[in-house]
Amino acid sequence: MLSSSSRLLRVLSLLQTRTHWAGPELAERLEIHPRTLRRDIDRLRELGYPIHASSGVAGGYAFRAGQALPPLLLDDEEALAVAIALRMATAGTVGGVEESSLRALVKLEQVMPSRLRKRIDALRSAILPTEHMGPTVQAAALAVLAAACRDQLRVEFAYLDAKGQASQRSVEPQGLVHTGQRWYLVAWDPARGDWRSFRVDRIVGDAAAGAHFAPRPGPDGGDLRAYVARSVALSQFPEQARVVLHQPLATMARRIPASAGVLQALDAERCVLACGAHQQGTLVYWLLALQVEFEVLEPQSLREYLQASTERVARGLARGSGTMAPSP
Protein backbone atom coordinates (compact mmCIF):
# COMPACT_ATOMS: atom_id res chain seq x y z
CA MET A 1 0.00 0.00 0.00
CA LEU A 2 1.37 3.39 -1.00
CA SER A 3 1.69 6.11 1.62
CA SER A 4 -0.71 9.04 1.37
CA SER A 5 1.89 11.45 -0.11
CA SER A 6 3.21 8.84 -2.54
CA ARG A 7 -0.33 8.04 -3.64
CA LEU A 8 -1.09 11.72 -4.27
CA LEU A 9 2.00 11.93 -6.46
CA ARG A 10 0.88 8.84 -8.34
CA VAL A 11 -2.61 10.30 -8.85
CA LEU A 12 -1.13 13.49 -10.28
CA SER A 13 1.20 11.58 -12.59
CA LEU A 14 -1.64 9.47 -14.00
CA LEU A 15 -4.00 12.43 -14.43
CA GLN A 16 -1.41 14.16 -16.63
CA THR A 17 -1.03 11.18 -18.97
CA ARG A 18 -4.60 11.45 -20.32
CA THR A 19 -7.17 14.13 -20.95
CA HIS A 20 -9.77 12.13 -18.97
CA TRP A 21 -9.85 9.19 -16.57
CA ALA A 22 -12.93 7.24 -15.62
CA GLY A 23 -13.19 7.10 -11.83
CA PRO A 24 -13.38 3.29 -11.44
CA GLU A 25 -10.53 2.79 -13.92
CA LEU A 26 -8.27 5.27 -12.12
CA ALA A 27 -9.06 3.70 -8.74
CA GLU A 28 -8.31 0.23 -10.12
CA ARG A 29 -5.03 1.46 -11.59
CA LEU A 30 -4.06 2.85 -8.17
CA GLU A 31 -5.36 -0.26 -6.39
CA ILE A 32 -7.49 1.80 -4.01
CA HIS A 33 -11.21 2.13 -3.27
CA PRO A 34 -13.12 4.81 -5.27
CA ARG A 35 -13.95 6.58 -1.95
CA THR A 36 -10.21 6.82 -1.20
CA LEU A 37 -9.65 8.24 -4.68
CA ARG A 38 -12.33 10.89 -4.11
CA ARG A 39 -10.63 11.92 -0.85
CA ASP A 40 -7.29 12.14 -2.66
CA ILE A 41 -8.83 14.31 -5.38
CA ASP A 42 -10.29 16.62 -2.74
CA ARG A 43 -6.89 16.87 -1.05
CA LEU A 44 -5.19 17.78 -4.33
CA ARG A 45 -7.79 20.47 -4.95
CA GLU A 46 -7.09 21.91 -1.50
CA LEU A 47 -3.43 22.10 -2.47
CA GLY A 48 -4.33 24.13 -5.55
CA TYR A 49 -4.40 21.54 -8.34
CA PRO A 50 -7.22 22.23 -10.86
CA ILE A 51 -8.87 18.82 -11.21
CA HIS A 52 -12.28 18.71 -12.88
CA ALA A 53 -14.77 16.00 -11.91
CA SER A 54 -17.80 14.90 -13.93
CA SER A 55 -20.61 12.56 -12.96
CA GLY A 56 -22.76 10.11 -14.87
CA VAL A 57 -21.97 7.05 -16.96
CA ALA A 58 -18.97 8.73 -18.61
CA GLY A 59 -17.95 10.55 -15.44
CA GLY A 60 -14.43 10.78 -14.18
CA TYR A 61 -11.54 13.16 -13.59
CA ALA A 62 -9.50 15.50 -15.78
CA PHE A 63 -6.53 17.74 -15.03
CA ARG A 64 -7.03 21.31 -16.22
CA ALA A 65 -4.60 24.24 -16.35
CA GLY A 66 -5.19 26.66 -13.47
CA GLN A 67 -4.76 30.36 -12.79
CA ALA A 68 -1.65 29.99 -10.64
CA LEU A 69 1.10 27.48 -10.01
CA PRO A 70 0.13 24.98 -7.29
CA PRO A 71 2.76 23.28 -5.14
CA LEU A 72 4.85 20.80 -7.08
CA LEU A 73 5.10 17.16 -6.04
CA LEU A 74 8.34 15.68 -7.40
CA ASP A 75 10.00 12.38 -6.71
CA ASP A 76 13.76 12.28 -6.03
CA GLU A 77 14.87 11.75 -9.62
CA GLU A 78 12.50 14.42 -10.97
CA ALA A 79 13.75 16.93 -8.39
CA LEU A 80 17.37 16.22 -9.33
CA ALA A 81 16.58 16.56 -13.04
CA VAL A 82 14.90 19.94 -12.49
CA ALA A 83 17.81 21.17 -10.32
CA ILE A 84 20.39 20.17 -12.94
CA ALA A 85 18.38 21.84 -15.72
CA LEU A 86 18.07 25.05 -13.71
CA ARG A 87 21.78 24.99 -12.95
CA MET A 88 22.70 24.61 -16.63
CA ALA A 89 20.18 27.29 -17.64
CA THR A 90 22.20 29.91 -15.76
CA ALA A 91 25.03 29.55 -18.30
CA GLY A 92 23.25 28.33 -21.42
CA THR A 93 22.32 29.66 -24.84
CA VAL A 94 18.99 31.17 -23.75
CA GLY A 95 19.17 34.71 -22.41
CA GLY A 96 16.80 36.36 -20.00
CA VAL A 97 16.36 33.30 -17.77
CA GLU A 98 19.58 33.37 -15.73
CA GLU A 99 18.24 35.28 -12.73
CA SER A 100 14.87 33.53 -12.67
CA SER A 101 16.65 30.15 -12.94
CA LEU A 102 18.77 30.97 -9.92
CA ARG A 103 15.72 32.09 -7.91
CA ALA A 104 13.86 28.89 -8.82
CA LEU A 105 16.89 26.77 -7.91
CA VAL A 106 17.19 28.42 -4.50
CA LYS A 107 13.48 27.83 -3.81
CA LEU A 108 13.74 24.22 -4.88
CA GLU A 109 16.78 23.52 -2.70
CA GLN A 110 15.09 25.10 0.32
CA VAL A 111 12.32 22.50 0.29
CA MET A 112 14.53 19.53 -0.59
CA PRO A 113 15.24 16.89 2.06
CA SER A 114 18.85 16.76 3.22
CA ARG A 115 19.63 13.60 1.22
CA LEU A 116 18.80 15.41 -2.03
CA ARG A 117 20.61 18.62 -1.07
CA LYS A 118 23.79 16.60 -0.56
CA ARG A 119 23.46 15.11 -4.04
CA ILE A 120 22.82 18.55 -5.55
CA ASP A 121 25.90 19.93 -3.76
CA ALA A 122 27.98 17.10 -5.22
CA LEU A 123 26.65 17.80 -8.71
CA ARG A 124 27.26 21.54 -8.34
CA SER A 125 30.90 20.98 -7.44
CA ALA A 126 31.40 18.47 -10.27
CA ILE A 127 29.53 20.27 -13.09
CA LEU A 128 31.56 23.30 -14.15
CA PRO A 129 30.16 24.71 -17.40
CA THR A 130 32.60 26.66 -19.54
CA GLU A 131 31.84 30.23 -20.47
CA HIS A 132 29.48 30.34 -23.41
CA MET A 133 31.05 32.27 -26.31
CA GLY A 134 28.40 31.84 -29.00
CA PRO A 135 25.21 33.81 -29.67
CA THR A 136 22.31 33.69 -27.22
CA VAL A 137 18.58 33.98 -27.81
CA GLN A 138 15.93 35.41 -25.54
CA ALA A 139 13.52 33.08 -23.80
CA ALA A 140 10.60 35.29 -24.82
CA ALA A 141 11.50 34.90 -28.51
CA LEU A 142 11.66 31.12 -28.17
CA ALA A 143 8.29 31.12 -26.40
CA VAL A 144 6.62 33.03 -29.26
CA LEU A 145 8.08 30.70 -31.90
CA ALA A 146 7.26 27.56 -29.90
CA ALA A 147 3.65 28.69 -29.45
CA ALA A 148 3.35 29.38 -33.19
CA CYS A 149 4.67 25.88 -33.94
CA ARG A 150 2.19 24.34 -31.50
CA ASP A 151 -0.83 26.34 -32.67
CA GLN A 152 0.12 26.24 -36.39
CA LEU A 153 0.29 30.01 -36.81
CA ARG A 154 2.31 31.79 -39.45
CA VAL A 155 5.10 34.00 -38.16
CA GLU A 156 6.61 37.10 -39.71
CA PHE A 157 10.04 38.45 -38.85
CA ALA A 158 13.03 40.36 -40.17
CA TYR A 159 16.03 38.12 -40.81
CA LEU A 160 19.76 38.64 -41.41
CA ASP A 161 21.47 35.91 -43.43
CA ALA A 162 25.10 34.82 -43.13
CA LYS A 163 26.19 37.72 -45.38
CA GLY A 164 24.34 40.27 -43.27
CA GLN A 165 21.64 40.84 -45.90
CA ALA A 166 18.23 41.67 -44.42
CA SER A 167 14.93 40.23 -45.62
CA GLN A 168 11.35 40.04 -44.39
CA ARG A 169 10.04 36.50 -43.96
CA SER A 170 6.56 35.04 -43.56
CA VAL A 171 6.77 31.31 -42.85
CA GLU A 172 4.85 28.34 -41.51
CA PRO A 173 6.84 27.12 -38.47
CA GLN A 174 7.29 23.40 -37.91
CA GLY A 175 9.58 23.19 -34.88
CA LEU A 176 12.62 24.43 -32.97
CA VAL A 177 15.92 22.54 -32.92
CA HIS A 178 18.83 23.13 -30.53
CA THR A 179 22.18 21.83 -31.79
CA GLY A 180 24.00 22.43 -28.51
CA GLN A 181 25.36 25.77 -29.70
CA ARG A 182 22.55 27.45 -31.64
CA TRP A 183 18.78 27.45 -31.95
CA TYR A 184 17.13 26.92 -35.35
CA LEU A 185 13.55 27.41 -36.51
CA VAL A 186 12.47 24.90 -39.15
CA ALA A 187 9.67 26.30 -41.30
CA TRP A 188 8.01 26.06 -44.70
CA ASP A 189 8.71 29.19 -46.73
CA PRO A 190 5.78 29.76 -49.14
CA ALA A 191 7.69 32.44 -51.05
CA ARG A 192 10.40 29.91 -51.95
CA GLY A 193 8.22 26.82 -51.99
CA ASP A 194 10.63 24.86 -49.82
CA TRP A 195 11.70 24.11 -46.27
CA ARG A 196 14.16 26.45 -44.60
CA SER A 197 16.06 26.57 -41.31
CA PHE A 198 16.55 29.96 -39.66
CA ARG A 199 19.02 30.74 -36.92
CA VAL A 200 16.92 32.26 -34.15
CA ASP A 201 19.73 34.61 -33.09
CA ARG A 202 19.59 36.20 -36.57
CA ILE A 203 15.93 37.16 -36.22
CA VAL A 204 15.83 40.93 -35.80
CA GLY A 205 13.26 42.35 -33.42
CA ASP A 206 10.11 40.48 -32.40
CA ALA A 207 8.49 37.74 -34.44
CA ALA A 208 4.76 38.29 -34.94
CA ALA A 209 2.25 35.43 -35.07
CA GLY A 210 -0.40 35.59 -37.79
CA ALA A 211 -3.10 33.45 -39.36
CA HIS A 212 -3.49 29.67 -39.08
CA PHE A 213 -2.03 27.42 -41.76
CA ALA A 214 -2.75 23.85 -42.83
CA PRO A 215 -0.13 21.43 -41.45
CA ARG A 216 2.09 19.51 -43.85
CA PRO A 217 4.54 16.60 -43.38
CA GLY A 218 7.90 17.85 -42.14
CA PRO A 219 11.21 17.52 -44.00
CA ASP A 220 13.31 14.35 -43.76
CA GLY A 221 10.26 12.35 -42.74
CA GLY A 222 9.60 14.67 -39.81
CA ASP A 223 13.11 14.29 -38.34
CA LEU A 224 13.82 17.98 -37.82
CA ARG A 225 17.16 17.36 -36.09
CA ALA A 226 18.44 15.44 -39.12
CA TYR A 227 17.20 18.18 -41.45
CA VAL A 228 18.96 20.92 -39.47
CA ALA A 229 22.15 18.87 -39.19
CA ARG A 230 22.20 18.38 -42.95
CA SER A 231 21.46 22.05 -43.62
CA VAL A 232 24.18 23.23 -41.25
CA ALA A 233 26.72 20.73 -42.63
CA LEU A 234 26.35 22.04 -46.19
CA SER A 235 24.88 25.53 -46.32
CA GLN A 236 27.49 27.31 -44.20
CA PHE A 237 30.41 26.43 -46.51
CA PRO A 238 30.97 28.22 -49.85
CA GLU A 239 32.81 25.18 -51.29
CA GLN A 240 31.76 21.58 -50.82
CA ALA A 241 33.53 18.26 -51.21
CA ARG A 242 32.11 14.98 -52.52
CA VAL A 243 33.98 11.81 -51.61
CA VAL A 244 33.12 8.19 -52.41
CA LEU A 245 33.63 5.94 -49.37
CA HIS A 246 34.04 2.23 -50.08
CA GLN A 247 31.81 1.09 -47.24
CA PRO A 248 28.00 0.66 -47.03
CA LEU A 249 25.92 3.64 -46.02
CA ALA A 250 24.76 2.02 -42.77
CA THR A 251 28.35 1.40 -41.70
CA MET A 252 29.54 4.96 -42.32
CA ALA A 253 26.38 6.50 -40.83
CA ARG A 254 27.39 5.02 -37.49
CA ARG A 255 30.82 6.67 -37.71
CA ILE A 256 30.12 10.05 -39.31
CA PRO A 257 27.70 12.37 -37.45
CA ALA A 258 25.00 14.17 -39.43
CA SER A 259 26.53 17.52 -38.43
CA ALA A 260 29.77 16.62 -40.27
CA GLY A 261 28.27 15.89 -43.66
CA VAL A 262 25.51 14.24 -45.68
CA LEU A 263 25.78 10.59 -46.66
CA GLN A 264 23.98 9.04 -49.63
CA ALA A 265 24.11 5.45 -50.84
CA LEU A 266 25.88 4.92 -54.15
CA ASP A 267 25.32 1.17 -54.26
CA ALA A 268 25.20 -1.69 -51.75
CA GLU A 269 28.91 -1.38 -50.96
CA ARG A 270 29.65 2.34 -51.34
CA CYS A 271 28.29 5.72 -50.28
CA VAL A 272 29.01 9.37 -51.07
CA LEU A 273 29.94 11.92 -48.39
CA ALA A 274 29.12 15.57 -49.07
CA CYS A 275 30.70 18.04 -46.65
CA GLY A 276 32.40 21.42 -46.39
CA ALA A 277 35.79 21.71 -48.10
CA HIS A 278 36.99 24.92 -46.47
CA GLN A 279 39.64 23.23 -44.28
CA GLN A 280 41.25 20.75 -46.61
CA GLY A 281 44.00 19.71 -44.21
CA THR A 282 41.45 18.72 -41.59
CA LEU A 283 39.33 16.92 -44.18
CA VAL A 284 42.31 14.90 -45.47
CA TYR A 285 43.20 13.98 -41.89
CA TRP A 286 39.72 12.64 -41.14
CA LEU A 287 39.50 10.78 -44.45
CA LEU A 288 42.71 8.96 -43.57
CA ALA A 289 41.55 8.40 -39.97
CA LEU A 290 38.41 6.62 -41.23
CA GLN A 291 40.70 3.86 -42.57
CA VAL A 292 38.49 3.06 -45.54
CA GLU A 293 39.17 3.18 -49.26
CA PHE A 294 37.94 6.41 -50.83
CA GLU A 295 38.09 8.56 -53.93
CA VAL A 296 37.66 12.33 -54.16
CA LEU A 297 35.12 13.44 -56.78
CA GLU A 298 35.40 17.17 -56.10
CA PRO A 299 36.75 19.77 -55.72
CA GLN A 300 39.93 19.54 -57.80
CA SER A 301 41.79 21.57 -55.16
CA LEU A 302 41.16 18.80 -52.63
CA ARG A 303 42.55 16.20 -55.02
CA GLU A 304 45.66 18.35 -55.47
CA TYR A 305 46.03 18.84 -51.70
CA LEU A 306 45.73 15.10 -51.15
CA GLN A 307 48.30 14.41 -53.88
CA ALA A 308 50.77 16.87 -52.34
CA SER A 309 50.21 15.29 -48.91
CA THR A 310 50.79 11.81 -50.33
CA GLU A 311 54.07 12.89 -51.94
CA ARG A 312 55.22 14.50 -48.69
CA VAL A 313 54.48 11.30 -46.76
CA ALA A 314 56.36 9.24 -49.38
CA ARG A 315 59.41 11.51 -49.08
CA GLY A 316 59.29 11.18 -45.29
CA LEU A 317 59.19 7.39 -45.53
CA ALA A 318 62.05 7.36 -48.01
CA ARG A 319 64.24 9.50 -45.77
CA GLY A 320 63.38 7.39 -42.72
CA SER A 321 64.30 4.13 -44.45
CA GLY A 322 68.03 5.09 -44.69
CA THR A 323 70.61 3.84 -42.22
CA MET A 324 71.03 6.25 -39.35
CA ALA A 325 74.56 7.33 -38.52
CA PRO A 326 75.86 5.81 -35.25
CA SER A 327 76.00 8.08 -32.24
CA PRO A 328 79.50 9.34 -31.38
Side-chain angles (χ1 to χ4, degrees), residues 244-275:
V244 176
L245 303 176
H246 290 243
Q247 285 290 327
L249 173 63
T251 300
M252 300 315 301
R254 291 193 295 266
R255 301 181 59 188
I256 300 175
S259 58
V262 178
L263 290 166
Q264 290 184 323
L266 187 60
D267 52 40
E269 301 299 327
R270 299 178 300 167
C271 60
V272 177
L273 169 66
C275 60

Side-chain angles (χ1 to χ4, degrees), residues 61-327:
Y61 302 100
F63 191 88
R64 297 286 185 263
Q67 300 295 323
L69 287 173
L72 293 176
L73 294 179
L74 303 174
D75 62 27
D76 287 7
E77 298 306 317
E78 290 171 338
L80 286 173
V82 172
I84 293 172
L86 289 171
R87 171 65 175 162
M88 301 306 293
T90 62
T93 59
V94 181
V97 298
E98 300 87 353
E99 183 180 350
S100 56
S101 297
L102 283 173
R103 291 199 308 267
L105 183 58
V106 169
K107 291 179 181 179
L108 181 62
E109 291 183 351
Q110 286 177 342
V111 298
M112 278 184 176
S114 59
R115 66 178 186 280
L116 287 184
R117 283 200 298 271
K118 291 178 180 178
R119 295 176 67 181
I120 290 296
D121 289 339
L123 288 169
R124 182 187 293 109
S125 61
I127 299 176
L128 300 174
T130 58
E131 182 180 358
H132 179 69
M133 301 300 293
T136 60
V137 299
Q138 295 301 306
L142 288 177
V144 170
L145 295 174
C149 294
R150 179 198 63 199
D151 299 333
Q152 297 171 354
L153 299 174
R154 282 197 178 196
V155 289
E156 296 183 0
F157 52 84
Y159 189 73
L160 290 178
D161 63 16
K163 298 179 180 179
Q165 297 178 342
S167 61
Q168 195 69 26
R169 302 297 183 98
S170 177
V171 300
E172 300 173 359
Q174 182 81 3
L176 289 164
V177 175
H178 186 224
T179 63
Q181 294 180 324
R182 295 183 176 89
W183 287 89
Y184 290 86
L185 172 69
V186 179
W188 175 262
D189 191 337
R192 291 160 176 77
D194 200 1
W195 292 99
R196 290 289 188 270
S197 61
F198 302 92
R199 272 179 48 176
V200 178
D201 60 284
R202 288 181 177 163
I203 294 178
V204 181
D206 297 329
H212 286 275
F213 63 87
R216 67 181 73 234
D220 284 16
D223 190 344
L224 301 188
R225 282 189 291 266
Y227 171 76
V228 169
R230 178 166 57 85
S231 300
V232 171
L234 297 179
S235 63
Q236 60 181 330
F237 303 118
E239 188 174 29
Q240 296 177 9
R242 295 179 66 247
V243 182
V244 176
L245 303 176
H246 290 243
Q247 285 290 327
L249 173 63
T251 300
M252 300 315 301
R254 291 193 295 266
R255 301 181 59 188
I256 300 175
S259 58
V262 178
L263 290 166
Q264 290 184 323
L266 187 60
D267 52 40
E269 301 299 327
R270 299 178 300 167
C271 60
V272 177
L273 169 66
C275 60
H278 66 302
Q279 293 182 335
Q280 295 185 345
T282 302
L283 181 54
V284 168
Y285 170 81
W286 285 113
L287 286 174
L288 295 174
L290 287 173
Q291 296 186 339
V292 300
E293 296 295 320
F294 67 88
E295 55 190 278
V296 176
L297 299 180
E298 58 182 0
Q300 179 61 29
S301 59
L302 178 59
R303 297 173 61 89
E304 295 170 354
Y305 190 101
L306 186 60
Q307 179 64 38
S309 300
T310 302
E311 294 172 355
R312 185 164 55 253
V313 170
R315 290 193 297 270
L317 291 174
R319 287 193 294 267
S321 63
T323 303
M324 297 182 62
S327 301

